[in-house]
Amino acid sequence: MTFDPEQLRSHQWYGTDGLRSFSHRARTRQLGYLPEEHLGKPVIAILNTWSDINPCHVHLRDRAQAVKRGVWQAGGFPLEFPVATLSETFQKPTPMLYRNLLAMETEELLRSYPVDGAVLMGGCDKSTPALLMGAASADLPAVFVPAGPMLPGHWRDQVLGSGTDMWKYWDDRRAGLLGDCELAELESGLARSPGHCMTMGTASTLTAAAEALGVTVPGASSIPAIDSGHDRMAAASGLRIVDLVREDVKPSRILTREAYEDAVTTVLALGGSTNAVIHLIAMAGRSGVRLTLDDFDRIARTVPVLANVRPGGRHLMEDFHFAGGLPGLLSRLTDLLHLDRPTVNHTTLREQLAGARVHDDDVIRPREKALAAEGGLAVLRGNLCPDGAVIKHIAAEPRLLRHTGPAVVFDDYRTMQRTIDDPALALTPDHVLVLRGSGPRGGPGMPEYGMLPIPDYLLRQGVRDMLRISDARMSGTSYGACVLHIAPESHVGGPLALVRTGDLITLDVAARGLRLEVSEEELAGRRAAWTPPPPRYERGYGALYSEQITQADTGCDFAFLAAPGRVPDPYAG
């Protein structure tokens, strides 16, 4: 098929005979570009989430140059756009509050500027879904460039996993097993290079999901951030996006129901982050695909956990990469995948996986030696979570997967922090810690509070896990018997708002049940006496967020962004 430059979207800005096109060309000369550098060529937006305060993305300023190199080599014209950086480490109250803001920025930048396709650069937890949500809504050809995991951490004779070992050693300090000197050494060894967490946290889970969806070049998601292969992958992505524009391959062709089901399969086989549930549901919604909690639970019952990576396993992402990466893992799941769907790099996923191999059977297990026979996530239902909840049961102590215990209720995270270590609470390992006021509206933004701390006096007794329940999320690097994403949340009057200290709560993961052992009559009385808390925000973005945010079971998107309907391209003339 012959490529016609006049069919380019950017031609409306540059190629017509009118005052506006004259102005656009003149201003492009002002930028220092020659006509032959851009006229008649695909204009590629590079959306870069680099910033000085995002350690996961601090190398993306350099990687953007590699992307540009690829775009130029393929005959395109690259333009770099700085977009919001969502730093999991520093942004408060949580970058989840701003995921939809970046998604909206992505969509509107792509729609309002003279661009024909996009390279999306991200990786820290919320940036991946945000960029892909926006790109799906804009529906211009797009390739995602994952930031890549950092190098393994080191401390004395220990290999450290970011996040996972932070929680572990912090508990050791609270238990009196580590002093300030050891902690200072750990600070310098836990995260020792650019890149996102090198455990199977939310970042690694979602970049793997992006690769499984088919929006990256093959093998992209596990390349260490500072490996020279990461530079080459960025350049290859720049090469590929130009061809995608010429072939008119849009996200709507790639992001199908089959693709999302394969992404769910991937997350479950990785023993991935519970956060993927919320994000994939939101991403699918932007693609016109209805993905539900029931889809996760249905697929989980058929997918074994094959990735022996922390926190559910023992290895780290660099090990996973050199063991074969995602292509290697998917090569062991081909009977569970939709192999005839397209990806940005191949006509079919089958073609993309041809020749993929696993080089270390301990890191990526064969099916007969799976870490778990079923996926590492379970969806729970019951009178405490009528719209669902999730648990990463592969990372919990088995004794707690079927458990009944008395609740100890905390109304907010600050109160919990102040009082959790008070011996007067008389907590035992059988108690159920309950945190409310931490959901999408109540948090605000549904912070990662769900891995509630165990009281220090129990840590000193050797207790390392308790049943914990909340309407919050938790870091994908976390572990423990944490029931998360209770829906509806307490802030809007969900049943979690009615729990009282001393109430018995029963968890039964095998039966997928979570129940508050209180009669319906008693709950009705408590519900009648409940009064809504005041709004968190009176103005600004927070007020818009509170008005439009949906609940966890539907992806926490903004209602007006998730709504179906056409948005016209701007008139450029």
Side-chain angles (χ1 to χ4, degrees):
M1 183 176 68
T2 304
F3 173 68
D4 180 4
E6 292 192 5
Q7 297 302 309
L8 289 170
R9 184 174 178 274
S10 58
H11 179 78
Q12 301 170 51
W13 274 262
Y14 287 121
T16 61
D17 184 18
L19 172 63
R20 292 299 178 189
S21 284
F22 169 69
S23 172
H24 298 150
R25 293 191 299 269
R27 292 300 188 174
T28 306
R29 303 300 160 265
Q30 180 185 10
L31 291 167
Y33 295 112
L34 294 165
E36 52 267 37
E37 289 187 81
H38 73 99
L39 289 179
K41 296 181 178 182
V43 178
I44 306 302
I46 302 170
L47 270 56
N48 194 347
T49 53
W50 168 88
S51 83
D52 275 332
I53 198 158
N54 192 334
C56 305
H57 296 177
V58 73
H59 58 304
L60 292 186
R61 173 184 268 180
D62 294 333
R63 293 299 176 271
Q65 301 310 307
V67 174
K68 290 178 183 178
R69 189 174 78 230
V71 172
W72 283 319
Q73 289 291 329
F77 178 59
L79 294 171
E80 187 175 355
F81 290 73
V83 292
T85 188
L86 305 183
S87 175
E88 201 65 33
T89 308
F90 294 105
Q91 195 168 25
K92 307 299 179 186
T94 167
M96 185 64 176
L97 188 69
Y98 302 103
R99 184 200 67 182
N100 298 339
L101 185 63
L102 175 55
M104 186 160 51
E105 182 184 21
T106 298
E107 176 181 353
E108 298 306 327
L109 279 177
L110 296 181
R111 181 172 289 115
S112 60
Y113 278 97
V115 299
D116 303 298
V119 175
L120 315 169
M121 305 187 70
C124 193
D125 298 10
K126 312 307 178 293
S127 62
T128 299
L131 290 166
L132 290 173
M133 287 163 69
S137 293
D139 203 27
L140 296 181
V143 173
F144 182 71
V145 172
M150 69 179 89
L151 292 177
H154 283 277
W155 176 59
R156 297 182 179 177
D157 63 340
Q158 299 296 309
V159 177
L160 304 178
S162 57
T164 301
D165 281 309
M166 177 185 73
W167 311 116
K168 174 183 179 294
Y169 286 112
W170 187 255
D171 278 353
D172 282 352
R173 181 181 187 265
R174 293 178 63 230
L177 302 176
L178 284 181
D180 291 342
C181 292
E182 291 89 348
L183 208 66
E185 292 175 12
L186 281 161
E187 283 183 11
S188 299
L190 193 61
R192 45 185 285 267
S193 81
H196 59 65
C197 290
M198 78 305 254
T199 49
M200 192 53 69
T202 304
S204 293
T205 300
L206 286 168
T207 54
E211 183 177 339
L213 284 168
V215 295
T216 76
V217 298
S221 63
S222 62
I223 303 172
I226 65 169
D227 193 298
S228 63
H230 198 268
D231 232 20
R232 296 191 297 273
M233 178 270 293
S237 301
L239 281 162
R240 185 62 190 133
I241 186 58
V242 178
D243 285 340
L244 289 172
V245 169
R246 289 173 174 149
E247 297 162 12
D248 197 29
V249 178
K250 297 177 179 178
S252 53
R253 180 173 163 187
I254 306 296
L255 298 175
T256 60
R257 164 159 284 280
E258 291 78 15
Y260 282 106
E261 288 187 351
D262 287 351
V264 173
T265 296
T266 298
V267 167
L268 295 166
L270 292 169
S273 169
T274 50
N275 286 307
V277 179
I278 291 176
H279 296 312
L280 282 173
I281 288 173
M283 291 159 63
R286 295 297 190 94
S287 302
V289 173
R290 186 173 182 270
L291 192 67
T292 69
L293 291 177
D294 290 337
D295 291 316
F296 277 85
D297 201 53
R298 169 179 57 82
I299 295 172
R301 296 175 187 272
T302 68
V303 179
V305 180
L306 302 185
N308 186 11
V309 179
R310 299 181 204 181
R314 71 181 190 89
H315 295 285
L316 297 171
M317 285 302 297
E318 187 172 18
D319 306 313
F320 180 77
H321 177 66
F322 291 111
L326 196 69
L329 180 124
L330 295 183
S331 74
R332 293 186 161 173
L333 298 167
T334 52
D335 58 311
L336 302 177
L337 301 172
H338 300 88
L339 296 173
D340 295 321
R341 62 181 177 87
T343 70
V344 295
N345 226 69
H346 290 88
T347 305
T348 65
L349 179 62
R350 186 189 310 276
E351 179 185 344
Q352 182 158 308
L353 294 180
R357 296 180 55 198
V358 173
H359 309 295
D360 189 326
D361 284 342
D362 186 51
V363 179
I364 302 174
R365 296 287 185 88
R367 299 270 280 267
E368 62 273 15
K369 294 184 179 178
L371 267 73
E374 292 187 0
L377 303 178
V379 175
L380 307 172
R381 303 279 185 180
N383 69 345
L384 193 50
C385 54
D387 291 339
V390 300
I391 183 172
K392 188 174 182 177
H393 56 89
I394 193 174
E397 288 189 6
R399 68 180 177 86
L400 294 169
L401 299 183
R402 186 174 183 179
H403 179 77
T404 298
V408 176
V409 180
F410 302 94
D411 284 320
D412 61 83
Y413 192 72
R414 292 185 187 183
T415 301
M416 182 277 301
Q417 284 182 307
R418 288 196 304 267
T419 60
I420 190 67
D421 293 326
D422 185 352
L425 288 177
L427 293 173
T428 72
D430 291 330
H431 274 96
V432 179
L433 304 180
V434 175
L435 174 67
R436 57 190 174 210
S438 300
R441 291 190 188 180
M446 207 179 180
E448 292 183 341
Y449 291 164
M451 188 181 171
L452 279 71
I454 293 169
D456 55 11
Y457 54 87
L458 291 182
L459 289 172
R460 287 193 290 270
Q461 297 171 26
V463 176
R464 284 297 184 271
D465 201 2
M466 294 175 68
L467 180 55
R468 290 158 276 182
I469 295 174
S470 72
D471 47 13
R473 299 175 300 111
M474 79 173 184
S475 167
T477 66
S478 301
Y479 50 86
C482 301
V483 176
L484 310 158
H485 311 178
I486 296 281
E489 64 173 306
S490 59
H491 198 78
V492 299
L496 195 66
L498 311 180
V499 182
R500 295 178 180 174
T501 293
D503 290 346
L504 291 179
I505 294 176
T506 297
L507 168 69
D508 188 338
V509 172
R512 300 300 197 259
L514 181 67
R515 179 166 181 80
L516 179 62
E517 304 293 354
V518 174
S519 72
E520 287 303 314
E521 293 78 13
E522 172 65 19
L523 289 177
R526 295 182 188 181
R527 190 173 292 110
W530 180 79
T531 56
R536 294 291 192 193
Y537 295 95
E538 295 183 356
R539 60 161 303 279
Y541 173 74
L544 171 67
Y545 174 93
S546 298
E547 174 190 299
Q548 290 290 326
I549 196 69
T550 64
Q551 290 292 296
D553 60 303
T554 54
C556 295
D557 201 356
F558 285 167
F560 76 93
L561 293 176
R566 188 180 70 88
V567 179
D569 249 5
Y571 176 60

